[in-house]
């Protein structure tokens, strides 16, 4: 009886997980955010971005939003916004 409940619970969890697939970061959305929140001071080809991976860029933006990296402007971005901006920057970054 216990084994049946465990299997049923595992099946239910797997079904819920498949209903909400992870979404990839959206470069077009990242461009809009970058242009609205960053482009006045930052250019895509600037040294802080050069050679950084998407993961490194995402970590940097998280640090800026979270306040662990000094930045003159307070940014409020969601986790999806941060991922989108990192994707946009990395897709336009010459390595």
């Amino acid at each position: 009886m216990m084994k049946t409940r465990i299997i049923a619970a595992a099946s239910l969890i797997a079904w819920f997980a498949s209903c909400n697939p992870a979404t990839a970061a959206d470069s077009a959305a990242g461009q809009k955010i970058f242009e609205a929140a960053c482009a006045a001071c930052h250019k895509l080809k600037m040294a802080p971005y050069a050679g950084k991976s998407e993961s490194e860029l995402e970590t940097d933006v998280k640090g800026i939003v979270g306040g662990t990296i000094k930045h003159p402007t307070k940014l409020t971005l969601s986790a999806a916004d941060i991922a989108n901006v990192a994707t946009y920057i990395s897709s336009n970054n010459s390595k």
Side-chain angles (χ1 to χ4, degrees):
M1 182 69 160
M2 181 64 133
K3 190 175 187 178
T4 304
R5 287 184 183 176
I6 292 172
I7 292 171
S11 297
L12 186 60
I13 291 169
W15 180 78
F16 278 123
S18 70
C19 290
N20 188 15
T23 56
D26 182 352
S27 182
Q31 179 180 5
K32 290 178 185 175
I33 297 162
F34 183 89
E35 289 173 354
C38 311
C41 299
H42 298 285
K43 305 298 177 229
L44 282 176
K45 308 296 182 192
M46 288 179 72
Y49 310 130
K52 288 193 174 186
S53 69
E54 185 174 331
S55 175
E56 291 170 317
L57 291 164
E58 188 169 346
T59 299
D60 288 351
V61 176
K62 282 180 185 175
I64 291 167
V65 171
T68 59
I69 294 177
K70 289 181 101 178
H71 194 267
T73 305
K74 173 69 175 144
L75 297 178
T76 303
L77 301 173
S78 70
D81 290 343
I82 292 168
N84 293 341
V85 169
T87 297
Y88 171 68
I89 294 169
S90 71
S91 69
N92 288 283
N93 192 0
S94 60
K95 300 207 178 194

